[in-house]
Amino acid sequence: MLLLHLSDVDENSWATKLRDALGGYRVVQRGDDFDPREVRYIFVWKPKADAFDGLTGLRAILSLGAGVDALLKHKALPDAPIVRFVDADLSQRMSDYVVAHVTMHHRLYTRFRADQTARRWTQLYPPAASETTVGIMGMGVLGQDAAKRLLPLGFTLRSWSRTPKTIDGVTGFAGQENFDDFLAGTDILVNLLPLTPETTGILNLETFRKLRRKLDGGPAIVNAARGGHQKEADIVAALTDGTLGAASLDVFETEPLPQDSPLWAIENCYITPHIAAISSETTGVRYFSQMIRDHEAGKPLINVVDRQRGY
Amino acid sequence: MLLLHLSDVDENSWATKLRDALGGYRVVQRGDDFDPREVRYIFVWKPKADAFDGLTGLRAILSLGAGVDALLKHKALPDAPIVRFVDADLSQRMSDYVVAHVTMHHRLYTRFRADQTARRWTQLYPPAASETTVGIMGMGVLGQDAAKRLLPLGFTLRSWSRTPKTIDGVTGFAGQENFDDFLAGTDILVNLLPLTPETTGILNLETFRKLRRKLDGGPAIVNAARGGHQKEADIVAALTDGTLGAASLDVFETEPLPQDSPLWAIENCYITPHIAAISSETTGVRYFSQMIRDHEAGKPLINVVDRQRGY
């Protein structure tokens, strides 16, 4: 039996599609009449406090999101394996966002928009992509996809991750001891890290001050991961005093971003309302129904979260 | 003997570098003491009316720009072959501009910026790149390079050119009779055409009305070619009445764009001051000095302009 516990999305739509895809397998929702002990899988998005009550027969927890930081903090999280949603469509959309904002800052959008507002015609030639270094933090599925899209554009790429990663065309840095070296050659910093205790607040003033100051107007950051990665007071300060030339933020410490946040009004801060990427229902149904069928047939689960590591 | 006739750029710098590269070959500038009949090559950028006076021994006219539309209108243009500057570095920079502006409109920048100004948190998920069709007008060196960069990003691509072009992954349309079909499936229209009598004013209201209306806010245009391609009054009208969702313009009917142009103040018009791409001196010196040496050694010229065709 598969139990759905999805908040803030259309749970009925997912239930209908999963029932179609898992013909013969029982799919239930909160409020249905069922014995919780018979639930073998639970499919969750923002599970409430009582989501896992009585589920003593769980074989796996299926997470709709790619990031499981919030899920791992659930007070009553059972011991079953947690499966993350890894989705080519989601990776594509995330890379779409990353490429759009990296190229925007590389092409000095902030500067030319200010000139336009002032009706000023001042020619300045942005550097070629090859002369600009994009530093990607996080080299999981999303980081690797972003690298794969940025490379053919001609950018010089470097990455930083917990453990060393070897990606063709990307200079890899790993571990805390190489973080400063990584930053020292980075013009545009892209964050695609998982949110863990080690990465919380990593987008702070100290980090920004270590970035290379080669790009006209100053270095830029692009955060498509989690609001918990960023210290917003530091971003406000850095954008205002020139430590950063620009910031593209899709995520925030508090979401929706509060009305009184100073970020809204900062000219060189580019805000989107956590829409960089969304998991498509079609892909999700295919992914999870296949996984349940395979697992029931004795195959191992894939994309299982390492709880120790946090992702 | 090579004569330089370069306006609006640092002619002395080019002269020094070309003298270094063409050791043994005489390189002269306007004002130097030389016999015009002995000039075998002239290297031009915005040549003045008397630029070609007395040059009866010309073997080739070397053009610093990739576009030769203005040069072809020169009243005293000699009959010698015209060589265009084809430059990988210039193509890279042009594609940098194209990709930055295509991805900006694909990711609905105008919409999210308006939301930010209003402190509005309204989630809307842009389509995946694969769901968005970019139509490239002009499939010469620049159009092909842009296609090469946009393809790995996942966009659906189509092209329109005078003669049929077969490019892997790009649906090709050719000739006036297929122009409407090309437009009918295009969400973001990129202009990289040469400016000829046939393409003058091609970016007009009639063209814009034929674009597909699938992208949230309406179709977008990106003009990185020539101001002569665009009817600016039509662009103003189209951006104002919603026929177009956005326009990125790097070139203008009159440059610098006059202070009183209404384009400056249109929110969904993105103006840059003809800086999409510039020919680098290093690449240019290498290209033209090699060409002169090869030609003097009896090899044919490459990238020669077809005057009939206009590019």
Side-chain angles (χ1 to χ4, degrees):
Chain A
M1 192 189 298
L2 168 65
L3 168 63
L4 272 60
H5 191 115
L6 307 167
S7 308
D8 292 358
V9 298
D10 186 348
E11 187 179 283
N12 289 327
S13 172
W14 279 95
T16 306
K17 292 199 174 96
L18 281 164
R19 277 186 196 108
D20 284 353
L22 287 164
Y25 199 85
R26 194 169 169 211
V27 177
V28 296
Q29 294 176 254
R30 287 174 272 176
D32 288 352
D33 184 26
F34 63 90
D35 181 346
R37 292 169 301 181
E38 289 175 17
V39 171
R40 292 162 71 83
Y41 300 91
I42 181 169
F43 180 40
V44 293
W45 178 242
K46 302 185 184 171
K48 299 204 166 38
D50 63 354
F52 302 104
D53 289 1
L55 307 185
T56 52
L58 272 189
R59 298 197 67 196
I61 299 164
L62 315 176
S63 165
L64 175 53
V68 292
D69 44 288
L71 181 60
L72 288 177
K73 287 185 191 132
H74 193 284
K75 294 273 189 284
L77 189 67
D79 202 28
I82 299 169
V83 172
R84 283 187 314 128
F85 188 21
V86 174
D87 173 8
D89 184 68
L90 181 136
S91 304
Q92 162 86 63
R93 286 161 195 266
M94 189 64 95
S95 293
D96 290 351
Y97 169 84
V98 168
V99 169
H101 286 266
V102 163
T103 56
M104 171 183 187
H105 300 313
H106 163 236
R107 294 295 303 189
L108 310 176
Y109 174 80
T110 302
R111 147 78 186 245
F112 288 119
R113 193 62 170 178
D115 280 359
Q116 178 173 346
T117 304
R119 299 184 181 231
R120 201 163 41 219
W121 181 277
T122 310
Q123 290 188 312
L124 170 77
Y125 296 91
S130 53
E131 297 165 317
T132 303
T133 299
V134 180
I136 304 174
M137 300 200 294
M139 265 288 133
V141 173
L142 297 176
Q144 291 185 35
D145 193 86
K148 191 181 83 182
R149 314 272 177 191
L150 290 165
L151 270 175
L153 297 180
F155 286 104
T156 299
L157 292 190
R158 49 174 56 197
S159 70
W160 183 74
S161 45
R162 201 178 52 89
T163 54
K165 293 281 166 72
T166 309
I167 314 280
D168 264 1
V170 182
T171 307
F173 295 77
Q176 201 50 54
E177 65 275 22
N178 295 303
F179 189 49
D180 288 5
D181 281 352
F182 163 76
L183 295 173
T186 294
D187 301 310
I188 301 174
L189 182 67
V190 174
N191 178 35
L192 289 166
L193 285 166
L195 186 63
T196 66
E198 291 74 35
T199 66
T200 297
I202 195 168
L203 295 173
N204 60 51
L205 209 43
E206 205 188 335
T207 298
F208 305 151
R209 287 197 179 122
K210 291 174 182 162
L211 289 166
R212 181 159 71 174
R213 298 196 63 79
K214 182 181 164 193
L215 208 60
D216 191 89
I221 63 165
V222 177
N223 187 12
R226 285 285 187 263
H229 286 122
Q230 70 200 20
K231 290 196 176 166
E232 287 172 15
D234 284 12
I235 294 179
V236 169
L239 288 172
T240 310
D241 74 8
T243 302
L244 287 179
S248 288
L249 308 177
D250 187 55
V251 290
F252 302 90
E253 290 176 12
T254 304
E255 294 180 10
L257 183 63
Q259 285 290 310
D260 62 355
S261 166
L263 289 172
W264 289 111
I266 297 179
E267 205 57 38
N268 48 348
C269 185
Y270 299 91
I271 291 175
T272 45
H274 204 147
I275 50 77
I278 192 175
S279 308
S280 92
E281 283 189 17
T282 312
T283 325
V285 166
R286 200 183 306 136
Y287 176 87
F288 287 114
S289 56
Q290 188 64 49
M291 184 160 319
I292 289 173
R293 261 189 260 114
D294 286 351
H295 195 221
E296 289 293 299
K299 289 191 195 157
L301 295 166
I302 56 167
N303 300 317
V304 174
V305 170
D306 178 337
R307 294 194 185 202
Q308 202 62 38
R309 210 175 52 169
Y311 60 93
Chain B
M1 192 188 297
L2 166 66
L3 168 63
L4 271 59
H5 192 115
L6 307 168
S7 308
D8 291 358
V9 297
D10 186 349
E11 188 179 280
N12 290 327
S13 172
W14 279 96
T16 307
K17 292 199 173 95
L18 281 163
R19 277 185 196 110
D20 284 350
L22 286 164
Y25 199 84
R26 194 171 169 209
V27 177
V28 296
Q29 294 175 254
R30 286 174 275 177
D32 289 351
D33 184 27
F34 62 91
D35 181 346
R37 291 168 302 180
E38 289 176 17
V39 171
R40 294 162 71 82
Y41 300 91
I42 180 169
F43 180 40
V44 293
W45 177 242
K46 302 183 184 171
K48 297 203 167 38
D50 63 354
F52 302 104
D53 289 1
L55 308 184
T56 52
L58 270 190
R59 299 198 66 198
I61 299 164
L62 314 177
S63 165
L64 174 53
V68 292
D69 44 286
L71 180 61
L72 289 176
K73 287 186 191 131
H74 193 284
K75 294 275 190 280
L77 189 67
D79 203 27
I82 299 168
V83 172
R84 284 186 312 128
F85 187 22
V86 173
D87 174 8
D89 183 67
L90 182 135
S91 304
Q92 162 84 64
R93 285 160 196 268
M94 189 64 96
S95 293
D96 289 350
Y97 169 83
V98 168
V99 169
H101 286 265
V102 163
T103 56
M104 173 182 184
H105 300 313
H106 163 236
R107 292 295 303 189
L108 310 176
Y109 174 79
T110 303
R111 147 77 186 245
F112 288 118
R113 192 63 171 179
D115 280 359
Q116 177 174 346
T117 304
R119 299 185 181 229
R120 200 162 43 217
W121 180 277
T122 310
Q123 290 188 313
L124 171 77
Y125 296 90
S130 53
E131 297 165 317
T132 302
T133 300
V134 180
I136 304 174
M137 301 201 294
M139 266 286 133
V141 173
L142 297 177
Q144 291 185 36
D145 193 86
K148 192 181 81 180
R149 314 273 178 189
L150 289 165
L151 270 176
L153 297 179
F155 287 103
T156 299
L157 293 190
R158 47 175 53 197
S159 69
W160 182 74
S161 45
R162 200 178 53 87
T163 55
K165 294 280 167 71
T166 309
I167 314 281
D168 264 0
V170 182
T171 307
F173 295 77
Q176 200 51 53
E177 64 277 23
N178 295 303
F179 189 48
D180 289 4
D181 281 351
F182 162 75
L183 295 173
T186 293
D187 302 308
I188 301 174
L189 182 67
V190 174
N191 179 36
L192 289 167
L193 285 166
L195 186 64
T196 66
E198 290 75 34
T199 66
T200 296
I202 195 169
L203 294 173
N204 59 51
L205 208 43
E206 205 187 332
T207 298
F208 305 151
R209 287 196 179 120
K210 291 172 181 162
L211 290 166
R212 181 158 72 176
R213 299 195 63 79
K214 182 183 163 194
L215 208 61
D216 191 90
I221 64 165
V222 177
N223 187 12
R226 284 287 186 262
H229 286 122
Q230 69 200 21
K231 291 195 175 167
E232 287 171 14
D234 284 12
I235 294 179
V236 169
L239 287 172
T240 309
D241 74 7
T243 302
L244 288 178
S248 289
L249 309 176
D250 186 54
V251 291
F252 302 91
E253 289 176 14
T254 305
E255 294 180 8
L257 183 62
Q259 285 290 309
D260 62 354
S261 167
L263 289 172
W264 289 111
I266 298 179
E267 205 55 38
N268 47 348
C269 184
Y270 300 92
I271 292 176
T272 45
H274 205 147
I275 50 79
I278 192 175
S279 307
S280 92
E281 284 190 16
T282 312
T283 326
V285 166
R286 200 183 306 137
Y287 176 87
F288 287 115
S289 57
Q290 188 64 46
M291 183 160 318
I292 289 173
R293 260 188 261 115
D294 286 351
H295 196 220
E296 289 293 298
K299 290 193 194 152
L301 295 166
I302 57 167
N303 299 316
V304 174
V305 171
D306 177 337
R307 293 192 186 204
Q308 203 61 36
R309 209 176 53 169
Y311 59 93

